[in-house]
Amino acid sequence: MNDAMTGMLHVPGARLYYEVRGTGPLLLISQSGEGDAGRSVDLVDRLVEDHTVVTYDRRGLSRSTLDDPAQRLTVEAHADDVHHLLASLTDEPALMLGCSLGAVIGLHLALRHPGQVSTLIAHEPVAPRLLPDAERTHHEQELREMQEVYRRDGLPAVVTVIAKLLGISLADQETEPDLTPHPFTPERTVNFGFFVEHDFTAILDDTLDVAALKNTPTRIIPAAGRTTPRTVFDHRCAQELADLVGAGLETFPGGHNGNLTHPRAYAARVRELLSGA
């Protein structure tokens, strides 16, 4: 494992913690859920030989602190954080892997800061606005109900519900061997609660200009996990994105969290797709 360069970046309304490892073209990973800079360490380990990999804590998670803890989060603010982070590290267009919420952040970045990201792998974006109206309304209500489950019954109950919504089988999920353990530490527990309370609301309030994605200069590569059921929310969003931008839906190992459960095969797939970028 290469030593990481770490830093703190002041951005509007927050301080952003980030890590940089490896050599080669710059690849920023925007993680899913409550994941912070260290959550995708097994994946990063397999990309640093030929990429300079940047990971970070989204604002409000772990070491990335908010100037005002009561501020209302938006996906646009998350995208602007990535914009400022990339601008501090490179003058060249970067590569980006966005997973789940991270994929939605990447889509906003492609629209708000054209040309800053040359290629975006958008793995199962949780973006209800990509869906037809009735389906969108249904899934937005599911997100609201999950917030209520969390407030009423706590973390274990809502983790189960989220897994079902995203097609993740917690009981018999396949994984590669020798993964770095990520137990629910007190910090991760706090992060998960923040994610449900604040980032869910950001997703519900999202104003993504879906039609404009067809004209962005960023090459968008829609992707979905091999084991993600075709009918669940996240896969449907990925498929609608693929149809919108006129690209094939690329398949990745594992399911919604394939970057965590299958880091070796996932890294190989990332490298394969980016080699033609």
Side-chain angles (χ1 to χ4, degrees):
M1 176 175 174
N2 297 338
D3 291 334
M5 180 193 83
T6 65
M8 294 292 298
L9 179 69
H10 288 270
V11 295
R15 298 176 71 244
L16 213 63
Y17 172 85
Y18 65 93
E19 298 179 357
V20 183
R21 291 175 51 200
T23 57
L26 192 147
L27 168 63
L28 181 134
I29 298 177
S30 189
Q31 184 59 270
S32 58
E34 87 294 358
D36 60 16
R39 185 76 168 97
S40 50
V41 60
D42 291 334
L43 175 64
V44 174
D45 282 348
R46 288 152 182 87
L47 291 170
V48 291
E49 289 185 5
D50 47 14
H51 289 87
T52 300
V53 183
V54 180
T55 57
Y56 70 106
D57 300 349
R58 282 198 319 273
R59 62 168 59 202
L61 300 184
S62 297
R63 295 145 291 198
S64 290
T65 57
L66 302 173
D67 293 348
D68 176 10
Q71 70 177 246
R72 192 175 184 89
L73 262 64
T74 66
V75 184
E76 291 90 343
H78 283 315
D80 287 345
D81 287 347
V82 175
H83 159 67
H84 290 297
L85 178 55
L86 288 175
S88 74
L89 296 172
T90 181
D91 296 326
E92 300 295 325
L95 305 167
M96 182 171 177
L97 166 65
C99 302
S100 192
L101 175 56
V104 190
I105 293 170
L107 295 176
H108 274 276
L109 186 65
L111 295 178
R112 294 172 68 82
H113 304 284
Q116 190 170 36
V117 171
S118 59
T119 299
L120 165 67
I121 299 176
H123 189 276
E124 299 189 9
V126 287
R129 292 180 69 88
L130 288 167
L131 302 172
D133 288 346
E135 196 174 354
R136 169 187 169 184
T137 299
H138 171 72
H139 288 303
E140 287 177 341
Q141 183 57 32
E142 286 183 320
L143 291 171
R144 293 186 184 93
E145 290 172 356
M146 281 189 284
Q147 288 182 315
E148 291 304 318
V149 169
Y150 174 72
R151 293 163 188 161
R152 184 182 65 243
D153 302 324
L155 182 61
V158 80
V159 167
T160 300
V161 178
I162 292 173
K164 182 178 180 181
L165 176 69
L166 299 177
I168 301 170
S169 176
L170 296 175
D172 57 357
Q173 186 172 224
E174 293 181 0
T175 66
E176 291 178 344
D178 303 320
L179 300 182
T180 300
H182 292 281
F184 267 101
T185 60
E187 181 179 62
R188 189 180 171 201
T189 299
V190 170
N191 282 351
F192 211 106
F194 185 91
F195 166 60
V196 173
E197 287 284 9
H198 298 278
D199 285 320
F200 272 31
T201 300
I203 294 168
L204 288 165
D205 293 344
D206 192 15
T207 59
L208 180 67
D209 186 349
V210 170
L213 291 171
K214 293 186 286 187
N215 301 314
T216 175
T218 298
R219 178 193 178 204
I220 298 173
I221 303 177
R226 176 179 57 81
T227 62
T228 302
R230 302 300 185 259
T231 56
V232 298
F233 170 47
D234 41 327
H235 195 284
R236 287 286 301 119
C237 290
Q239 184 60 66
E240 290 292 330
L241 177 62
D243 293 344
L244 176 74
V245 300
L249 182 61
E250 301 292 346
T251 301
F252 271 69
H256 187 69
N257 289 328
N259 57 321
L260 307 178
T261 61
H262 294 74
R264 297 171 181 84
Y266 200 101
R269 192 75 175 105
V270 168
R271 190 174 285 109
E272 176 187 358
L273 291 172
L274 294 183
S275 66

